[in-house]
Amino acid sequence: MTAIYCDDYPNVFHWKAVSEFTLEQAALLLAGIDPFDFEQGLESAKITNHPRWKLAYGYALAIETAIRRGILTPVVCNTYFYDEYNSNWIVQKIEPSDRSHNISCEHTVITRNSLNQWVSNENIILVLPNSARKIDPPIIKKDNSCNDQSIIKMLSPHIHHSEGLDLTQEIIDQFWVTYDEENKQTAPTKDEIITYLTSKGVSKNLAEAVDMVLRPFELRKVGRRKKGVTY
């Protein structure tokens, strides 16, 4: 998730239990602005020149567009207009697809769940407090002058070493790197491993032990087969 972090993020704990918002309230909250601090909503944030008022307006337009496109479904979609005949302001329910009327940010309602889903699906950039920053774990950079083994040695005060471990690594490099779990035929046979190791002067007992350690239980009786041979 991408985020913008700020120092002046308000305490919005009192909004945690609210499950429905007007489009205007949602836009302000996404911009890190407490709607209770601005009685006239978006217009108040603009008039007082809040540092993120433009961001709030941008969120409002984005939510309105999402409603128009059917990506975000409102609980109720209303328009707000001045009725000249009755000299009065009217709130009227409309269909989200009705583009003959403007969607009222102040009177259109959406749910917290639908808002969260939209934010997640559209990867909306959120405004968060600095305290929400995640501290990345330290990265150990690999020095080009060092190989992997030397790095391991630097990280550990003691590394155990034995001839048997060397042999297991050699068998992994020679036989098991090409093994495909979805194709058991690609596994080396026990005889291949034993023959390879004993040809290097390794005792048969040690060779069998190396093979047993590296071979998955399901392959103890299965290995690479010659062409024409089936299980």
Side-chain angles (χ1 to χ4, degrees):
M1 178 187 70
T2 306
I4 298 173
Y5 298 96
C6 63
D7 293 319
D8 61 342
Y9 194 89
N11 182 351
V12 291
F13 182 79
H14 40 277
W15 289 95
K16 295 294 184 181
V18 179
S19 59
E20 293 184 355
F21 308 95
T22 65
L23 191 157
E24 185 173 57
Q25 290 170 337
L28 288 168
L29 288 167
L30 288 176
I33 302 173
D34 188 346
F36 286 151
D37 292 335
F38 298 89
E39 295 183 358
Q40 301 302 317
L42 290 169
E43 187 63 22
S44 291
K46 178 180 179 181
I47 293 174
T48 58
N49 198 30
H50 189 283
R52 292 186 297 280
W53 75 263
K54 291 182 180 179
L55 191 58
Y57 269 84
Y59 282 128
L61 289 174
I63 296 174
E64 181 180 346
T65 300
I67 291 175
R68 290 290 195 193
R69 296 175 58 198
I71 297 175
L72 200 165
T73 302
V75 175
V76 59
C77 185
N78 286 321
T79 188
Y80 185 57
F81 64 96
Y82 185 73
D83 184 356
E84 295 184 354
Y85 181 79
N86 294 308
S87 301
N88 192 21
W89 285 92
I90 302 294
V91 176
Q92 180 177 307
K93 184 178 179 181
I94 62 171
E95 292 298 323
S97 59
D98 182 2
R99 293 181 178 270
S100 63
H101 294 85
N102 292 325
I103 292 178
S104 171
C105 292
E106 186 179 354
H107 301 93
T108 297
V109 179
I110 58 178
T111 66
R112 174 187 292 274
N113 288 337
S114 62
L115 179 64
N116 287 340
Q117 192 64 48
W118 172 72
V119 168
S120 176
N121 291 343
E122 300 298 317
N123 195 27
I124 302 300
I125 298 175
L126 297 178
V127 175
L128 298 174
N130 276 323
S131 60
R133 287 181 184 270
K134 291 183 178 179
I135 300 176
D136 295 328
I139 300 175
I140 301 175
K141 295 183 178 180
K142 180 177 177 180
D143 188 342
N144 293 332
S145 62
C146 303
N147 56 30
D148 291 338
Q149 189 65 25
S150 65
I151 291 176
I152 293 175
K153 289 181 179 179
M154 287 189 292
L155 296 178
S156 175
H158 177 71
I159 298 296
H160 179 66
H161 173 76
S162 72
E163 292 76 13
L165 288 175
D166 290 341
L167 290 174
T168 56
Q169 187 59 55
E170 183 175 347
I171 294 303
I172 291 173
D173 295 339
Q174 293 291 333
F175 294 92
W176 286 101
V177 291
T178 58
Y179 170 58
D180 181 359
E181 292 183 355
E182 296 182 359
N183 183 5
K184 301 299 186 293
Q185 292 277 15
T186 60
T189 64
K190 178 179 179 180
D191 288 341
E192 287 178 304
I193 304 299
I194 302 301
T195 299
Y196 176 83
L197 289 175
T198 53
S199 68
K200 296 171 63 66
V202 178
S203 69
K204 186 176 181 180
N205 287 339
L206 180 54
E208 289 179 342
V210 171
D211 176 74
M212 181 175 293
V213 169
L214 295 178
R215 189 172 301 278
F217 289 155
E218 63 178 347
L219 298 179
R220 290 291 169 85
K221 295 182 180 181
V222 179
R224 182 184 285 128
R225 297 293 184 264
K226 297 180 179 179
K227 292 182 179 181
V229 179
T230 57
Y231 291 93

